[in-house]
Amino acid sequence: RAYGRFTGLRHTVVYGGVGYTHNTNEQNFPTAGLRVDSLGNFTVANGYYDAYNKTSSMDAGLRTKFQTGGIGHTVALSTNYLDQEIGYFYQLTSTYAPSNIYNPAPLPTITFPRGNPSKSTELKQHSVALADTLSFDSGRYLLTLGVRDQTIEQSAFNVNTGASTSYYKASAVTPLAGLVIKPTKNIS
């Protein structure tokens, strides 16, 4: 992840950051078939559960202060973005071995090759927000007004065929309003 901030202008800060990760894991994944009974007996299969996660993210913004007449303004504009893909490979042995929690048996031998993880979900999210904090009476009264537009998009896929199994997309615009009153300089 990289992050930067620029404060070269007197009343303005510009910031931004980007990140990327690609995680993978390979694991043997024993799975119980029959649950443990009162004597400690159960059955167990063996298999692989391998997965990956690719995620890109970004956020950027600007915050500035200025006056219009006797009203002070602190304006903030920000945006962010997330793009994530997750996939996995999961397969168990076809036979379950009897075992006991007091005298465990060896796990069944895995006789199939480890497969390549396939995409199971995608998630995309982005938003833009704008807010202005208005300052009255030398900062005694602060009124914040703002709005945020956010979109989320999610897709699911069958890991065996790659076919889309579900899709969801929604956007929302959310308003913001807040009032701070400072009866004295140190209390709000």
Side-chain angles (χ1 to χ4, degrees):
R1 180 154 172 92
Y3 189 80
R5 180 177 159 142
F6 174 72
T7 58
L9 303 173
R10 185 170 178 201
H11 298 287
T12 302
V13 174
V14 178
Y15 64 90
V18 295
Y20 177 77
T21 183
H22 183 179
N23 298 314
T24 61
N25 64 66
E26 293 182 344
Q27 52 186 324
N28 285 18
F29 202 74
T31 302
L34 296 176
R35 303 266 178 209
V36 178
D37 66 19
S38 61
L39 299 175
N41 298 310
F42 67 99
T43 59
V44 64
N46 199 5
Y48 297 126
Y49 182 75
D50 303 338
Y52 72 88
N53 174 337
K54 296 178 190 178
T55 304
S56 300
S57 64
M58 176 280 302
D59 78 296
L62 172 134
R63 188 177 67 244
T64 190
K65 293 183 178 187
F66 59 91
Q67 291 280 128
T68 57
I71 301 172
H73 295 269
T74 302
V75 175
L77 174 65
S78 64
T79 185
N80 65 39
Y81 177 78
L82 173 80
D83 185 353
Q84 183 177 65
E85 178 183 317
I86 296 173
Y88 69 90
F89 168 77
Y90 177 65
Q91 186 174 347
L92 289 175
T93 54
S94 58
T95 58
Y96 285 79
S99 193
N100 185 284
I101 60 172
Y102 305 110
N103 187 20
L107 291 171
T109 302
I110 298 173
T111 58
F112 49 84
R114 178 166 247 130
N116 292 320
S118 299
K119 179 169 57 174
S120 61
T121 60
E122 281 184 343
L123 173 66
K124 295 178 188 293
Q125 179 274 323
H126 59 88
S127 71
V128 175
L130 176 65
D132 185 4
T133 299
L134 295 89
S135 173
F136 304 93
D137 194 15
S138 299
R140 186 168 177 209
Y141 304 100
L142 302 174
L143 174 64
T144 301
L145 301 171
V147 65
R148 179 179 182 197
D149 181 11
Q150 179 174 347
T151 300
I152 294 178
E153 183 176 5
Q154 185 169 0
S155 302
F157 301 90
N158 180 308
V159 294
N160 296 315
T161 66
S164 176
T165 58
S166 68
Y167 177 78
Y168 173 82
K169 183 175 182 179
S171 294
V173 175
T174 309
L176 163 75
L179 178 63
V180 175
I181 299 172
K182 297 180 178 182
T184 66
K185 197 172 198 177
N186 297 329
I187 298 174
S188 60

